[in-house]
Amino acid sequence: MARKKLIAGNWKMNETLPEAVVLTQEISNIFEKDWLETVDVCICPPYIDLKPAKTVLDFDHLGIAVGAQNVFYEPKGAYTGEISVPMIKEVGCTYCIVGHSERRTLFGETNEDVNLKAKALLADGLSPIICVGESLEVREGGAYLDYVCAQVRAAYAGIAEAEAKDTVVAYEPIWAIGTGRTATPEQAEEVCAAIRETLTELYDQSVADTIRVLYGGSMNEGNAEMLLAMANIDGGLIGGASLKAQSFVAIVQAAL
Ligand code: 13P
């Protein structure tokens, strides 16, 4: 089944407000609207850059989506420093990354947190981009498929079929993130296929066929085409290369 590819840029903790406006404008300037008929595109700047980035995109009438990099699952209240789903929705986000490995390893986010965040997003009509992926230690131990598929099962606990269709999974092997050591297309495909198999077990083939599974980890304009050619890789979650307009747009073009 043909799934529309999704290219999402995860800016991580980069770009001050004026820098974010410049980067968004640069992307917009070299972007061709027609591409969005074939590929969905999303940028995920830091929270305080979301509104200005969205304003630039709206001004240019581009259908590039905006997503947050994280969210808290409670709608409001005494949670100092947190940002809620209604808050990111209000500034125009339609996607939100959850469970990025940096949040899991540096900020102690658990599978349960990831599940609660995904459910809160879906309840408000946003699409979670659920990140999973193994460390180098787990990969070298050999049980990486079990590890990643267990993360998928935990993330989808209690999510109904109708909502599951609005989710996205991003397979990001930790050993490939920011290291320049990309997974080979075959390595990435093996895990993305296992993720789809797990989604088929949790739901059914037709649901699993609608959920996009992205690859992330040192994806760039040089390797994107080969990775995106694999049957179960439906797009990319791009870190470093999403901070340069030319590189990010070249990856979008590789998905056309
Ligand atoms: P890099 O593309 O910089 O390796 O980052 C990948 C990533 O973590 C995207 O979420």
Side-chain angles (χ1 to χ4, degrees), residues 10 12 100 102 172 176-179 216-219 237-241:
N10 175 8
K12 306 193 180 184
H100 191 281
E102 287 149 17
E172 299 206 307
I177 295 177
T179 57
S218 299
M219 200 190 236
L237 184 54
I238 325 296

Side-chain angles (χ1 to χ4, degrees), residues 50-132:
L50 288 168
K51 181 72 177 170
K54 176 81 173 124
T55 303
V56 170
L57 295 173
D58 285 350
F59 188 79
D60 287 356
H61 300 290
L62 272 183
I64 296 178
V66 169
Q69 300 171 15
N70 181 34
V71 77
F72 189 51
Y73 46 78
E74 294 292 348
K76 61 197 263 187
Y79 305 102
T80 302
E82 293 298 321
I83 295 285
S84 71
V85 176
M87 290 171 181
I88 62 168
K89 183 175 180 174
E90 219 281 322
V91 296
C93 289
T94 47
Y95 293 93
C96 180
I97 299 169
V98 292
H100 191 281
S101 61
E102 287 149 17
R103 297 223 52 89
R104 293 179 190 255
T105 56
L106 301 172
F107 302 101
E109 209 161 288
T110 64
N111 277 335
E112 195 195 357
D113 294 326
V114 175
N115 174 248
L116 290 170
K117 291 177 180 195
K119 286 200 271 206
L121 287 159
L122 289 164
D124 249 344
L126 279 80
S127 291
I129 301 176
I130 299 166
C131 299
V132 295

Side-chain angles (χ1 to χ4, degrees), residues 13-222:
M13 199 177 72
N14 294 293
E15 312 304 317
T16 61
L17 197 147
E19 290 166 348
V21 169
V22 169
L23 178 55
T24 310
Q25 190 66 65
E26 284 172 353
I27 293 170
S28 175
N29 288 347
I30 54 173
F31 201 91
E32 290 183 26
K33 205 174 175 189
D34 293 354
W35 296 340
L36 293 171
E37 285 164 24
T38 323
V39 58
D40 287 333
V41 178
C42 170
I43 56 171
C44 302
Y47 285 132
I48 59 168
D49 298 338
L50 288 168
K51 181 72 177 170
K54 176 81 173 124
T55 303
V56 170
L57 295 173
D58 285 350
F59 188 79
D60 287 356
H61 300 290
L62 272 183
I64 296 178
V66 169
Q69 300 171 15
N70 181 34
V71 77
F72 189 51
Y73 46 78
E74 294 292 348
K76 61 197 263 187
Y79 305 102
T80 302
E82 293 298 321
I83 295 285
S84 71
V85 176
M87 290 171 181
I88 62 168
K89 183 175 180 174
E90 219 281 322
V91 296
C93 289
T94 47
Y95 293 93
C96 180
I97 299 169
V98 292
H100 191 281
S101 61
E102 287 149 17
R103 297 223 52 89
R104 293 179 190 255
T105 56
L106 301 172
F107 302 101
E109 209 161 288
T110 64
N111 277 335
E112 195 195 357
D113 294 326
V114 175
N115 174 248
L116 290 170
K117 291 177 180 195
K119 286 200 271 206
L121 287 159
L122 289 164
D124 249 344
L126 279 80
S127 291
I129 301 176
I130 299 166
C131 299
V132 295
E134 80 287 359
S135 63
L136 187 59
E137 197 185 349
V138 171
R139 169 143 296 247
E140 288 178 342
Y144 55 94
L145 292 179
D146 288 346
Y147 182 90
V148 170
C149 293
Q151 285 184 319
V152 171
R153 276 191 209 94
Y156 281 84
I159 294 179
E161 189 175 305
E163 290 189 319
K165 290 180 178 167
D166 295 329
T167 63
V168 177
V169 182
Y171 168 55
E172 299 206 307
I174 296 170
W175 46 271
I177 295 177
T179 57
R181 181 181 163 189
T182 321
T184 64
E186 293 73 24
Q187 284 175 322
E189 170 67 12
E190 181 193 31
V191 183
C192 292
I195 290 169
R196 199 171 315 281
E197 190 63 44
T198 303
L199 294 169
T200 307
E201 284 163 22
L202 289 174
Y203 301 98
D204 60 29
Q205 188 72 52
S206 69
V207 174
D209 278 347
T210 60
I211 299 175
R212 291 179 288 195
V213 181
L214 316 183
Y215 167 77
S218 299
M219 200 190 236
N220 58 43
E221 53 199 292

